[in-house]
Amino acid sequence: MTTHAYQEIYLSSAMSSMGEAFDYAVNDCKIPGGDFVKMLIVSPVCSRIENGEPAYLAGKSGIEIARECVKDTTGKELTVEPQPHYDRSPEYWCGWAVAYYQWYTSRKYSEIFRAVSFDDLLRMYPTLHEADVTKFADIVDEIVRKTFPETNLKRFRTLYGCSQSELSKLSGVSLRSIQMYEQRRKDINKASVDTVRRLAKVFGCAVEDLVEK
């Protein structure tokens, strides 16, 4: 089973809240989207969402998330009252869609926004906002992978929080092999099924998650 950032039951709420946060910050509070992104990724709110804390995924509205991000990073209170919106704005879609991608890949928001800026997301809106969000995820994933050409093995090891030597001890796969797979000096797709299965077992992911497409 693919490893996601948190349980899928929270996904819809998290996407709506992130969309609302961007819409409120940009359209109601007139904060430039790029500036709000900078506030978001350094605020403790961001790591709490990434870590799957229910209080932030489902317990707070987007307005509360935006206000907390701004307060954390600037010390200022946002007192602007949110205006009623009858259609999803492009800014809402940006927050909504990127929240899906973060859940789907378990990547950090700081990493995502290093590869794709807020303005990049806005440029995707006209052609992608009516498409299935998975199409957006595929496009962004290709951009992110080009920006961070790391292997799936390294990405899962980093998410798991262990060193190469620790992974070697936990999996029984030699340290040298792990190093060479991560450096692409050996093709993990050509490794034995047993080797990849032992690595996948450590992370609790599927064998398919570690092979390179």
Side-chain angles (χ1 to χ4, degrees):
M1 185 173 69
T2 301
T3 302
H4 298 306
Y6 45 83
Q7 293 181 54
E8 191 170 359
I9 57 171
Y10 296 115
L11 177 59
S12 178
S13 177
M15 290 170 68
S16 296
S17 293
M18 192 61 75
E20 187 180 37
F22 271 87
D23 186 49
Y24 173 69
V26 177
N27 293 317
D28 292 332
C29 300
K30 308 305 178 186
I31 299 171
D35 290 349
F36 181 65
V37 166
K38 292 175 184 176
M39 296 175 191
L40 170 68
I41 61 179
V42 298
S43 169
V45 171
C46 192
S47 60
R48 288 170 180 154
I49 293 172
E50 292 168 346
N51 292 336
E53 293 187 21
Y56 283 81
L57 296 173
K60 287 183 180 287
S61 69
I63 311 302
E64 291 172 314
I65 287 173
R67 286 173 171 169
E68 193 168 333
C69 286
V70 172
K71 179 68 180 299
D72 286 340
T73 55
T74 69
K76 297 178 181 178
E77 299 274 2
L78 286 182
T79 57
V80 177
E81 287 298 315
Q83 298 301 307
H85 298 287
Y86 302 104
D87 295 307
R88 289 182 176 180
S89 67
E91 292 77 15
Y92 180 101
W93 178 83
C94 290
W96 177 85
V98 82
Y100 174 85
Y101 179 73
Q102 191 280 323
W103 167 80
Y104 184 72
T105 62
S106 295
R107 290 184 181 273
K108 293 183 179 297
Y109 277 106
S110 58
E111 187 177 272
I112 297 168
F113 281 113
R114 277 176 59 195
V116 185
S117 70
F118 179 75
D119 287 340
D120 290 334
L121 295 177
L122 279 179
R123 283 190 284 271
M124 295 179 188
Y125 173 80
T127 55
L128 291 176
H129 74 281
E130 292 184 347
D132 191 285
V133 71
T134 57
K135 183 175 181 181
F136 163 83
D138 288 342
I139 291 171
V140 172
D141 202 45
E142 185 175 348
I143 297 170
V144 171
R145 286 176 183 275
K146 288 179 180 177
T147 305
F148 305 101
E150 63 186 19
T151 63
N152 290 332
L153 176 60
K154 182 176 180 180
R155 184 164 68 87
F156 270 92
R157 180 176 61 77
T158 302
L159 287 169
Y160 189 79
C162 69
S163 66
Q164 291 176 332
S165 60
E166 288 171 334
L167 177 57
S168 176
K169 292 175 183 176
L170 290 168
S171 65
V173 177
S174 73
L175 174 59
R176 183 63 177 156
S177 290
I178 291 171
Q179 291 171 334
M180 294 185 77
Y181 290 139
E182 290 194 1
Q183 294 166 6
R184 298 185 191 278
R185 294 173 63 189
K186 284 179 69 175
D187 187 352
I188 196 169
N189 292 6
K190 296 178 180 178
S192 70
V193 174
D194 180 61
T195 293
V196 184
R197 185 180 290 124
R198 281 187 281 161
L199 291 167
K201 185 177 180 181
V202 173
F203 304 130
C205 68
V207 167
E208 291 77 12
D209 292 328
L210 297 183
V211 299
E212 300 295 319
K213 297 183 176 70

